[in-house]
Amino acid sequence: MRPTSHRRSPARRAVIAVLSTLGLAAASAALVALPADASAPPPPADWSTVFSDDFDGPAGSGVNTANWQYTTGTSYPGGPANFGTGEVETMTSSTSNVSLDGAGNLRITPQRDASGHWTSGRIETKRSDFQPPAGGRLRIEARLRMPDVTGPAAKGYWPAFWALGAPFRGNWWNWPGIGELDVMENVQGLNNDWSTMHCGTSPGGPCNETTGIGGQKACDGTTCQGGFHTYAVEWDRSGPTEQMRFSLDGVDFHTVNQNQVDATTWANATNHGYFVILNVAMGGGFPDAFGGGPDAGTQPGHSLVVDYVTVRQSAGSGSTTPPAGNRDAYSTVQAESYDQQSGLTKETTTDSGSGQDLGSAANGDWALYKGVNFGTTAARQFSARVASGAAGGVSGLVEVRLDSPGGAVVGSFAVANTGGWQSWRTVPANISGVTGTHDVYVTFSSGQPADFVNLNWFTFGH
């Protein structure tokens, strides 16, 4: 993974929101009262569940680390300070900040110590490959209760349920081009849900950064703090124009259409998988726009309560043809975001940024990445992040072919043992000039049948 601005700097968005709609009136939906420890509902008949966590477990225990990873400290390693947002807490993996309550819920709880220092929690899915299939849909959903605190006691609270494009991992400086989907943001204990898509360049750009393309809605029936509500984004590739539809309690209230931005901006934000994040920040640009960060009157100990998180997909029409230019050749392509593969496995990586890599690569294996747009200026370089724990005498080639796994090799490099299957290095290679849009096959060739390399990401250059 490789190393643009921070996650977001939301002051402009928040100011606009203040002026526009805090008292937004919306049609009320009939809400079904579910218990606080409700299990995730089963998927509809034409949907399948690809990720789910009901947060069942003993009170005081941590999250399931097969599903989630903790983000700790005040920034990503080498990334912007204070996560680029100006928030003031330190994120920890302590069960005082992140724990199960024994009743089927996760609680993320900001705490303040005697010196006035804030701690809180931030967890991310280990998987970063959530995206709809060609012609299909993806739905990221959670049932949440905002920290039950309002007024001056809520000053500085900033809970969020959101997702970031996989290329952010290990780079930390390519926001907002890689895309961000804010399914739910809430500040200062207000009865309001903000949902936003971030993309393009910052400041300004086609997505009006750092504001993004946003909408908002008040919680009906009970307030966002007074009860559980269901927050979701549905990423729809089933029609001629892709959409991101944000909903609250099953009511769509904000839609971002593919044709609202240029094709390259949309492709850069959607040509890869996403990972899901839950956190409660304290202070930062968004709370600042509503009166400021935490002060002596802010009450610690109020939890974002998470009943469940699900990710589901609906298979589409069966089409395997991606939109032209669906991937940018000059952005990082995460290896696990393949469209098809043969002989490979996904595994958790310890490389910078974590996430997944492709493992078990041996002679004859391949991975397909559809619709890679090289543009009109020829690409002449290929770089890949690889690791190998192969035995002595075992080596092979990582190759690039176009439009067929048996096509001519346009570039390759050799790799042998790098010091271990998670001992990563970036290897460059020259390729013959490539322009236009192609299906790219990364293929693996070796004179031995043994596995010889893991692949984390690759990219092209001029």
Side-chain angles (χ1 to χ4, degrees):
M1 300 184 184
R2 300 175 34 177
T4 248
S5 174
H6 48 271
R7 168 188 153 195
R8 55 192 167 312
S9 177
R12 281 178 53 206
R13 170 181 38 173
V15 170
I16 291 169
V18 167
L19 296 175
S20 59
T21 73
L22 263 182
L24 180 72
S28 296
L31 303 180
V32 177
L34 297 176
D37 61 347
S39 297
D46 58 340
W47 289 74
S48 61
T49 299
V50 296
F51 176 91
S52 183
D53 198 329
D54 277 320
F55 300 108
D56 294 324
S61 60
V63 294
N64 180 355
T65 53
N67 288 340
W68 302 94
Q69 60 192 38
Y70 296 93
T71 301
T72 59
T74 59
S75 69
Y76 291 106
N82 305 103
F83 294 103
T85 66
E87 56 202 75
V88 300
E89 81 296 327
T90 298
M91 296 299 187
T92 85
S93 59
S94 168
T95 53
S96 66
N97 295 124
V98 184
S99 66
L100 307 184
D101 66 2
N105 303 302
L106 167 71
R107 292 179 178 268
I108 301 179
T109 311
Q111 304 285 6
R112 183 176 57 205
D113 64 21
S115 65
H117 179 254
W118 286 89
T119 59
S120 191
R122 177 180 179 131
I123 61 170
E124 305 178 355
T125 57
K126 285 194 167 182
R127 290 181 58 178
S128 60
D129 59 348
F130 299 130
Q131 62 179 319
R137 292 173 289 170
L138 183 87
R139 184 178 178 88
I140 301 171
E141 176 181 301
R143 187 168 180 259
L144 310 169
R145 179 172 179 161
M146 296 304 103
D148 191 11
V149 58
T150 59
K155 190 175 180 182
Y157 271 78
W158 184 6
F161 168 51
W162 51 299
L164 275 171
F168 188 70
R169 280 187 168 162
N171 183 328
W172 318 130
W173 294 94
N174 53 8
W175 184 94
I178 47 77
E180 175 180 328
L181 304 174
D182 296 329
V183 187
M184 181 286 301
E185 290 185 286
N186 177 266
V187 290
Q188 311 291 56
L190 298 170
N191 181 37
N192 210 57
D193 165 30
W194 283 268
S195 295
T196 307
M197 181 174 179
H198 293 277
C199 48
T201 57
S202 180
C207 305
N208 190 33
E209 298 300 347
T210 57
T211 301
I213 305 172
Q216 56 185 303
K217 187 182 186 303
C219 293
D220 295 321
T222 59
T223 65
C224 303
Q225 292 72 30
F228 282 89
H229 296 269
T230 301
Y231 305 83
V233 61
E234 190 167 304
W235 180 356
D236 190 348
R237 283 178 169 163
S238 65
T241 301
E242 281 190 49
Q243 292 183 325
M244 301 288 184
R245 294 191 296 270
F246 298 87
S247 65
L248 172 58
D249 293 323
V251 177
D252 291 344
F253 67 92
H254 175 50
T255 299
V256 182
N257 293 297
Q258 178 181 2
N259 57 14
Q260 287 179 240
V261 299
D262 61 275
T264 298
T265 294
W266 188 266
N268 288 344
T270 62
N271 65 358
H272 45 67
Y274 273 69
F275 58 95
V276 175
I277 307 170
L278 289 158
N279 71 285
V280 181
M282 296 301 297
F286 205 175
D288 283 352
F290 287 84
D295 58 22
T298 303
Q299 291 181 2
H302 295 280
S303 306
L304 171 65
V305 186
V306 186
D307 183 15
Y308 65 78
V309 173
T310 63
V311 182
R312 296 182 173 126
Q313 70 177 27
S314 173
S317 62
S319 168
T320 59
T321 303
N326 189 44
R327 297 177 186 264
D328 179 6
Y330 309 106
S331 295
T332 302
V333 178
Q334 298 297 327
E336 71 273 16
S337 71
Y338 59 77
D339 294 280
Q340 297 177 31
Q341 61 86 21
S342 176
L344 302 167
T345 60
K346 293 181 182 180
E347 63 182 9
T348 300
T349 179
T350 61
D351 195 15
S352 175
S354 300
Q356 293 182 304
D357 62 68
L358 287 188
S360 305
N363 184 55
D365 296 341
W366 54 264
L368 165 62
Y369 304 87
K370 292 184 175 181
V372 178
N373 186 353
F374 291 87
T376 57
T377 301
R380 299 192 178 277
Q381 293 181 323
F382 169 71
S383 296
R385 188 75 166 166
V386 295
S388 175
V394 176
S395 64
L397 295 175
V398 178
E399 306 163 323
V400 178
R401 303 172 191 254
L402 303 180
D403 303 319
S404 168
V409 176
V410 298
S412 67
F413 62 82
V415 62
N417 190 298
T418 63
W421 293 110
Q422 291 295 316
S423 181
W424 294 94
R425 64 180 59 176
T426 303
V427 181
N430 293 326
I431 62 171
S432 52
V434 180
T435 60
T437 299
H438 298 273
D439 291 346
V440 168
Y441 287 83
V442 178
T443 60
F444 303 91
S445 298
S446 175
Q448 303 89 12
D451 298 347
F452 71 90
V453 69
N454 292 347
L455 177 65
N456 197 359
W457 55 256
F458 64 90
T459 190
F460 295 90
H462 296 299

